[in-house]
Amino acid sequence: MKLLLEVKKYSIILLFIVLTACNQTVKKSNNNKDTSSRVEHLPYYGDASFTPHWLEPGSQEEKDFHKIPNYKLVDQLGDTITSETFEDQIYITDFFFTTCPGICLKMTGNMQKIQDAFLNDPEVAILSHSVTPSIDSVSVLNTYAKKNGIIDAKWHLVTGDKQEIYDLGRNHYFVENDLGIPKDINDFLHTENFLLVDKNKHIRGIYNGLNRASVAQLIVDIKALKKEY
């Protein structure tokens, strides 16, 4: 009887030790998981594959990384828009056309969510390029802006030289997903992608402009990007 009590006593002690060790292991595992799930900075993108590059903001590598080059376009008010227009601003960009019967209206509606989320934030702007600039004149863009609640000071709809717009879209923003398929000015540029561009003209994210979850993530990423400055 005495021996049985001693066995039970040591069994309880052993069980307590095992449970304590397991609890500590779980806590340590959870802590490691929380740490690894966070990223200090958004990645950088420099080509059509959209492979993320984890650069340190302000580093020489970051300064030498792919940037959106200068451009000269005209917005819905007839104002000239260049890269300097977005000096000290984060901006979101896309490509659309006013006569689009399909995805463009939904993209515009989702971009309105971005406009509303940062309505009073001067650090955030929106830039939408017309891919049918011969049709989308200044007056046509102005009418489209009014019809869709676009605020001129926040959101620029731009037209201009078709070659320049297509070159920006395909060779600098990389908005099309058709990797390896050569295209020229006669191939229509049509994409649902939104791009996030930082204050130094680096691409920091690509998002499906038709997808609610992707647009919601874009809003989260804009807020995260603002913290870098």
Side-chain angles (χ1 to χ4, degrees), residues 27-196:
K27 285 183 178 179
K28 184 176 181 181
S29 175
N30 286 340
N31 286 338
N32 288 341
K33 183 179 179 181
D34 289 342
T35 301
S36 62
S37 68
R38 299 190 184 103
V39 292
E40 190 173 356
H41 306 293
L42 294 179
Y44 293 74
Y45 299 95
D47 58 47
S49 71
F50 275 90
T51 301
H53 294 260
W54 302 96
L55 310 180
E56 182 66 28
S59 66
Q60 190 59 49
E61 188 178 11
E62 183 257 1
K63 292 176 182 177
D64 295 337
F65 200 71
H66 172 77
K67 295 181 181 180
I68 305 303
N70 197 13
Y71 46 82
K72 188 175 182 180
L73 301 166
V74 181
D75 73 3
Q76 69 266 30
L77 297 181
D79 294 333
T80 299
I81 303 298
T82 70
S83 60
E84 292 181 1
T85 302
F86 303 99
E87 195 72 28
D88 294 323
Q89 283 186 312
I90 294 164
Y91 71 91
I92 304 88
T93 192
D94 70 343
F95 291 75
F96 82 113
F97 58 109
T98 61
T99 56
C100 174
I103 68 172
C104 295
L105 285 176
K106 188 170 182 180
M107 290 168 60
T108 297
N110 283 331
M111 195 68 90
Q112 285 172 334
K113 295 177 182 177
I114 309 297
Q115 176 179 256
D116 293 343
F118 299 94
L119 190 60
N120 299 311
D121 189 340
E123 285 187 83
V124 180
I126 302 171
L127 173 64
S128 293
H129 306 75
S130 169
V131 295
T132 58
S134 61
I135 297 172
D136 292 335
S137 63
V138 169
S139 61
V140 169
L141 291 178
N142 190 274
T143 299
Y144 186 87
K146 291 176 179 176
K147 182 178 178 180
N148 290 283
I150 291 170
I151 298 173
D152 298 330
K154 172 64 68 174
W155 186 349
H156 301 276
L157 308 177
V158 293
T159 187
D161 180 72
K162 183 178 179 180
Q163 182 69 54
E164 182 174 16
I165 291 171
Y166 276 50
D167 180 60
L168 281 169
R170 288 182 171 141
N171 301 319
H172 300 288
Y173 288 113
F174 315 115
V175 291
E176 287 182 323
N177 294 322
D178 302 326
L179 286 173
I181 300 177
K183 293 187 177 182
D184 61 28
I185 193 67
N186 297 311
D187 294 304
F188 192 58
L189 173 58
H190 200 205
T191 172
E192 71 274 18
N193 291 324
F194 290 176
L195 279 295
L196 175 60

